[in-house]
């Protein structure tokens, strides 16, 4: 049954989101059936009403009832037929069936976390790919096909509100301005039932405070004055206007009241973990048509067929070296369509949200900088997994027996993994240490799908960018030959703009590879 295949945190997996689309279609069909049954019920009521109206017309000149047949009809109508009417109105069996159908789907409904995660995804895509709020609202992504859907003014406000809550001043301002533009001259935004969700003053209040935080006091004052026109008796507005006038005249430090429940929460955009330069390079590389820093004159960057291992003699693998320090290699057509489908069939029922290790606490936790769902596949899960693991060994020459299980990833809406290292930076507090096989010496990542836009793998220090290509793979070393972590292996998965991204990771470990990849002559040798 479809309901059992949808897990929590739907926004973290595009595959789950596709199934949610089917749920919505089923609900629409259920509602359509209910409406048809309701129409039939109302038609029955209208039929009874018409018949009774006709009978009343026949005796409208004589309200007194003397004839025994008239007496019989009156008694029958009042005691029986009007009871039937009451039952038609009060007792509605298909209503109960409809409600039960809706309840059956409750487990598949998006949660508040899904709504929050989807809003965050819109902001992430906007920021990384430099798309205006107006373009997103219109379903237009420059250089890509347009979306079927369009955002409403309420949608725009809710995204802006998320940016505001997260302290993203510039984005919050852009979305609130977009909401105001979409409102036109309307005083409010209403939902399907006519209920006011957002008032004009709600939007103006956010804009006024955001402009104040940015430092544009004149624009802030203008928004507050417009609010006062709509609500001239608001004493808090009057106070804010007085403060702003004083600020503009004298420029002392005064606070302006923020919109409810968010006072003192607006901060400058920033990132505590990565340098601004690294985040800027990450964003640059993710954007379409970004120029990488590959030195075309480097003769070590070659394309060839790999067939040294006996397992590759009959079917050599096309390989492309795209970086030397660190070594990053692309392999083409290493998986067939059938193999990919078999892997996905095994992975889908096991998908759960990807979590990461907190270096400070040692706890495994959800994080916003990694949005995907994962499933682990071991050799015991089938011949397909064993065959793929052997193939990794054939291609890399490394021992895969001490490696981790195959990790299948499906990315969600705007799914990404910000710049990170695959190897542990602190083995004493890392779950990797509990495996007893040393650190992650290398990563072999399979691409299990094409992606229409976004979703590239980028290496921040080298400027290398690889776009997902179904059946292909990318391989790199995380450690130098000395066993020290290679800081140049810093990489990221760019947000998926359009499409459904699937990858599978095979992490290989130090133990069992001591003589396969021996120490170099210097500590820094790759």
């Amino acid at each position: 049954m479809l309901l059992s295949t949808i897990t929590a945190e739907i926004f973290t997996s595009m595959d789950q989101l596709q199934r949610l689309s089917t749920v919505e279609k089923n609900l629409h069909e259920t509602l359509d059936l209910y409406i048809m049954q309701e129409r039939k019920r109302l038609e029955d009521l209208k039929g009874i009403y018409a018949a009774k109206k006709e009978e009343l017309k026949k005796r409208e000149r004589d309200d007194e009832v003397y004839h025994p047949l008239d007496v019989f009809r009156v008694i029958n109508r009042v005691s029986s037929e009007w009871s039937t009417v009451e039952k038609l109105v009060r007792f509605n069996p298909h209503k109960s069936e409809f409600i039960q159908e809706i309840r059956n789907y409750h487990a598949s409904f998006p949660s508040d976390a899904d709504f929050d995660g989807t809003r965050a995804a819109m902001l992430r895509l906007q920021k990384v790919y430099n798309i205006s709020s107006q373009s997103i609202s219109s379903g237009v992504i420059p250089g890509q096909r347009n979306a079927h859907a369009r955002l409403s003014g309420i949608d725009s406000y809710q995204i802006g509100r998320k940016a505001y809550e997260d302290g993203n001043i510039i984005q919050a301002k852009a979305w609130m301005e977009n909401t105001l533009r979409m409102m036109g001259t309307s005083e409010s935004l209403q939902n399907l039932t006519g209920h006011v969700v957002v008032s004009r003053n709600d939007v103006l209040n956010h804009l006024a405070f955001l402009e104040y935080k940015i430092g544009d006091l004149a624009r802030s004052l203008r928004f507050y004055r417009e609010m006062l026109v709509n609500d001239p008796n608001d004493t808090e507005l009057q106070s804010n206007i007085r403060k702003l006038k004083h600020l503009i005249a004298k420029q002392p430090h005064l606070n302006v009241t923020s919109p409810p429940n968010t006072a003192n929460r607006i901060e400058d955009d920033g990132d505590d973990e990565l340098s601004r330069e690294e985040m800027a390079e990450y964003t640059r590389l993710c954007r379409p048509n970004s120029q990488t820093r590959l030195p075309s004159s480097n003769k070590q960057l070659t394309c060839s067929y790999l067939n040294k291992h006996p397992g590759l003699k009959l079917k050599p693998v096309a390989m492309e070296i795209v970086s030397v320090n660190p070594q990053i290699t692309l392999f083409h057509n290493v998986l067939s369509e059938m193999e990919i489908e078999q892997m996905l069939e095994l992975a889908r029922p096991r998908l759960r949200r990807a979590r990461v290790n907190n270096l400070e606490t040692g706890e495994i936790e959800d994080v916003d900088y990694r949005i995907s769902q994962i499933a682990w596949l071991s050799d015991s899960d089938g011949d397909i997994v064993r065959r793929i693991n052997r193939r990794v060994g054939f291609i890399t020459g490394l021992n895969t027996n001490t490696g981790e299980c195959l990790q299948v990833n499906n990315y969600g809406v705007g799914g990404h993994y910000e710049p990170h290292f695959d190897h542990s930076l602190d083995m004493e507090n890392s779950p990797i240490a509990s495996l007893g096989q040393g650190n992650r010496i290398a990563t072999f990542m399979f691409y299990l799908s094409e992606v229409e836009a976004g979703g590239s793998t980028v290496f921040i220090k080298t400027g290398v960018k690889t776009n997902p290509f179904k059946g292909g793979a990318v391989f790199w070393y995380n450690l130098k030959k000395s066993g020290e972590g290679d800081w140049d292996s810093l990489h990221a998965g760019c947000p998926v703009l359009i499409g459904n991204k699937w990858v599978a990771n095979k992490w290989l470990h130090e133990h069992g590879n001591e003589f396969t990849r021996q120490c170099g002559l210097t500590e820094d040798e790759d």
Side-chain angles (χ1 to χ4, degrees), residues 143-434:
Q144 306 297 331
R145 63 180 173 87
N146 294 345
H148 298 297
R150 302 291 182 269
L151 297 185
S152 68
I154 294 174
D155 294 332
S156 178
Y157 174 82
Q158 289 169 335
I159 296 173
R161 180 69 187 173
K162 171 64 176 173
Y164 185 92
E165 292 167 353
D166 290 349
N168 298 323
I169 298 177
I170 302 303
Q171 285 185 290
K173 178 174 175 288
W175 280 100
M176 289 300 172
E177 288 176 339
N178 184 64
T179 304
L180 199 62
R181 178 190 61 80
M182 295 179 77
M183 291 182 76
T185 58
S186 300
E187 291 301 318
S188 64
L189 295 171
Q190 303 174 351
N191 61 16
L192 294 176
T193 60
H195 176 71
V196 174
V197 178
V198 182
S199 72
R200 189 177 192 85
N201 270 17
D202 286 335
V203 182
L204 292 171
N205 196 15
H206 282 82
L207 282 170
F209 185 66
L210 289 166
E211 294 290 4
Y212 164 74
K213 293 296 291 185
I214 291 170
D216 194 336
L217 304 185
R219 280 178 61 83
S220 179
L221 181 60
R222 193 187 81 189
F223 287 128
Y224 277 126
R225 280 174 168 165
E226 185 176 345
M227 290 174 65
L228 194 63
V229 171
N230 299 330
D231 191 0
N233 296 320
D234 191 319
T235 55
E236 190 174 275
L237 280 176
Q238 294 169 358
S239 173
N240 280 345
I241 288 173
R242 284 195 301 271
K243 291 175 183 178
L244 276 170
K245 285 181 177 179
H246 188 64
L247 274 171
I248 292 171
K250 303 293 184 181
Q251 295 296 314
H253 179 72
L254 287 175
N255 290 324
V256 176
T257 307
S258 69
N261 304 320
T262 54
N264 303 319
R265 294 184 62 180
I266 298 296
E267 300 171 355
D268 289 334
D269 296 336
D271 193 288
D272 296 331
E273 302 297 327
L274 296 163
S275 70
R276 289 183 180 273
E277 291 77 14
E278 287 171 335
M279 287 304 295
E281 180 66 359
Y282 159 65
T283 300
R284 185 191 73 81
L285 287 170
C286 284
R287 290 178 182 173
N289 305 317
S290 61
Q291 295 296 317
T292 60
R293 299 193 300 266
L294 289 178
S296 57
S297 60
N298 190 332
K299 295 181 180 180
Q300 292 179 283
L301 303 181
T302 60
C303 297
S304 60
Y305 280 97
L306 181 67
N307 63 353
K308 291 182 180 180
H309 193 281
L312 301 176
K313 289 295 183 184
L314 296 179
K315 190 179 179 182
V317 173
M319 62 179 287
E320 178 184 355
I321 300 175
V322 295
S323 173
V324 178
N325 296 311
Q327 181 180 329
I328 303 172
T329 308
L330 298 182
F331 296 100
H332 298 263
N333 301 316
V334 292
L335 291 177
S336 68
E337 288 277 355
M338 183 178 295
E339 288 172 327
I340 291 172
E341 285 307 312
Q342 289 175 337
M343 287 176 64
L344 297 186
E345 186 177 347
L346 287 172
R348 281 192 173 102
R350 309 180 188 192
L351 287 172
R352 295 295 182 271
R353 180 165 183 180
R355 292 170 169 83
V356 301
N357 180 49
N358 185 316
L359 292 178
E360 294 182 1
T361 65
E363 299 293 325
I364 303 297
E365 60 187 21
D366 297 339
V367 289
D368 291 335
Y369 60 80
R370 186 182 189 186
I371 301 296
S372 66
Q373 289 193 10
I374 62 172
W376 295 93
L377 304 180
S378 66
D379 281 354
S380 62
D381 289 317
D383 180 63
I384 177 63
V385 182
R386 293 189 292 272
R387 190 163 67 246
I388 289 171
N389 283 333
R390 286 197 301 269
R391 193 172 303 161
V392 172
F394 296 164
I395 293 172
T396 64
L398 296 173
N399 185 346
T400 61
N401 293 328
T402 58
E404 296 173 47
C405 294
L406 202 62
Q407 186 199 70
V408 179
N409 284 256
N410 181 225
Y411 288 77
V413 55
H416 71 142
Y417 196 168
E418 285 185 359
H420 64 282
F421 297 101
D422 280 358
H423 62 279
S424 173
L425 302 179
D426 179 12
M427 282 294 284
E428 291 184 4
N429 298 308
S430 172
I432 294 176
S434 65

